[in-house]
Amino acid sequence: MIVAVPLELVASPLRSGRGLGEADRSALVVGGTERVRTGGAVVFCKVVAVAEAQVKRDGQVRAKGSPVRHATLGPLEERLEPGAVGEVAASAGLDGRLVKGERERLLARAFMVRVIVLMTLMPDARVQDVIAALAGDLALVPWARPWRAASARSAGDWRAALGPVPLEELRDLVLGAAWREHQGEGCPGAVTIGKARPLRAGSLDGTLIRMPDTPASRAFFGSVGTADDTSPFPQARALPVTCCSCRALFAMPHGPAGTDKAESEQSLLDEVMDQYPALLDPGWIWLMDRNYHGAARIARLTRSTHVLIRLKSDIPLRRTSEILPDGSYRAELSGDGVTVTVRVVEYYAEVEGQVVPEMFCLVTDLMDYEEYPGPELAALYKWRWDGSETALREAKAPLRGAGPGTGPMLRSCSPGLVRQELAAWAIAVGLTRGVLRDAALAAAPARKGHRAGQAVRPRDLSCARAVRAVLSAIRLGRRCYQAVTSEIAACRNVVDRSRHRARKSKSPSTFGHASPADTVTRIATAVITMANIPS
C-alpha cells in the first residue's frame, strides 16, 4: 500500500524543533487533515508495518516490537491458512540453554522457521543476508529497541534449539494441502488416461542429495558408489511423490543413502504406503521407473491405487493370455511368495526413422484394454519424465551444487539439521508450486503459437522466474499477490516440443574431449510400435 501525504504536512516530531539527525531513531509525523491538491508537492510513502507507537520524552516517535513480529514469506504464505506458521512455531519446544536474552529478542520461533525455509531458496547467501532479506524494509523502521540481523552463530543456535519437528509439521501441512487441492478440481491441463473412468497420473522416483562431510552425517546417512564408504560426501536418499501435470509435490520421505539403490528406495516406498495412505487413491495411476520394487509391494499398491511400472529385462513374466486386440497381454509376476496378475505392454520407440535400441516393457494392474488401451498407456509413460526428472531438476535448481556438481547441496552438518533443511526445502518447493498453479489459473491464454487460445497450464510457466518473483516480493515486503502471479504468468515456457536426447546425455560432459554426438538433440514426434503396429 502506498500513502500520499502533502509535503508541508510532514514534520519532525522533536520538541526541540531541530531536524532529525543520525543519532535520532524517530519517524517523521503527519500533521493536519488538508486534502491533496493538484500541483502540490506530495510525499509517497510505502506502508511497511502497522505497530504501536512509543513516543519518547524528546518527541521521538518509534515503533514498539521488532521486525521479527511482522516479517512474512509474502506470497508463499498466501498459500497457507492464516497464522499457520505462528501456530506451528508456538507449539515448538526450545532448548532454553541456546536461546535467551539478546538472542531471543533478535529472533523468534516463527521468524526463524521462515528464515530456514527462505535459506533453501537463497543457497549462496549467508544466513545474515537471508535474515536481512526476510526483514526487508522492516529493518528501516525506528523500533523502540535497536534491531540488527542476528549473527550466523545465533541463527545456528536457534536452528539447533528448534530441531526438525516444527519444519516437518509445516511440511505436512503444505504438502497435505496440495494433495487435497488436487482431489478437487485438480490443475489445468491434467494428464489423465481413460474416458469413462479417467485416472490422473502421478510419479515417484528416488534421488540423492549430498551434504557436508562430517563424522555424524557420514555415520548416519552413509554414501553410495563405494563399498568402503570413501565417496567425497555423505548422501541422503529421498523419494519425491509428484503430480505429472503440474509437478506439485505431495510427499518426500527420505533416509540414509544405503549401499543398494533398490533396497533403500523400497524402504522409502514402504514409508509412503505406511505414512501417506491417502496418496494411494483409486483415481490415480502412479508411474515408476525400472527400479523394481517387488511383487509383494506391487500387490499392496494395487489394492487401493493403480500403477504403471517399467520392468528390467531380468524380471521374469509368465504369460497367461494371447495377444489382446490392443497389442498387450496378461501375465503373472511372482516373487517373495506373492503372485500378481498384470497386463504387459511391450513396445519400441522410433524417432526420425531411428529405433531406440531397447524394448520398453510396462506392467499395469489395469486389465480393461478397451478403457485403457496399450498404445495410450505407452504414451502416458513418457509423462514420468515430467513428473519426476523435470520436477526434480526444477526443485533442485535453487540448491547449491545441484546436478552433476561435486559439492554438497545442503548447509547442515548434523543428521537432525539435515532433516530440518530437507523439510524446509519441501515446504519451499510446495509453496512455490502452489503460487505457480495460481498464476496459471489467472493467466490469459496465449494469442499465438501452438497453445493459442488454450488454458495456461502450470508447466507452461517458468519455475525459475517464479522463484525470482517470490524472492523479490519477500525482499520488498508484502506485495499484492495478484501482482506476483501476473508477473509469473507473463513468463511462458515452450513445451511439447518432442525433444529427444540419447539416455547417456542426461548430464552431458563439459570437457573438451567429450564426443559432441552425445549431446545431439532431435526434435520429432516419437512413433510407438506395439505388436508390429505403429501408433
Side-chain angles (χ1 to χ4, degrees), residues 380-444:
L380 177 69
Y381 185 73
K382 77 181 184 68
W383 286 100
R384 190 203 70 81
W385 191 267
D386 268 60
S388 287
E389 306 293 348
T390 305
L392 270 173
R393 184 196 66 198
E394 290 183 344
K396 281 185 173 182
L399 295 182
R400 194 171 33 178
T406 57
M409 300 180 191
L410 305 180
R411 306 170 185 250
S412 305
C413 298
S414 67
L417 294 185
V418 167
R419 277 179 55 194
Q420 183 190 76
E421 189 171 355
L422 286 174
W425 177 45
I427 293 167
V429 171
L431 293 177
T432 305
R433 294 282 186 205
V435 176
L436 261 176
R437 290 196 297 277
D438 287 347
L441 289 171

Side-chain angles (χ1 to χ4, degrees), residues 174-198:
V174 170
L175 303 189
W179 172 252
R180 289 189 296 273
E181 182 180 331
H182 281 70
Q183 293 305 95
E185 296 181 0
C187 54
V191 176
T192 62
I193 187 171
K195 297 178 181 179
R197 300 183 300 278

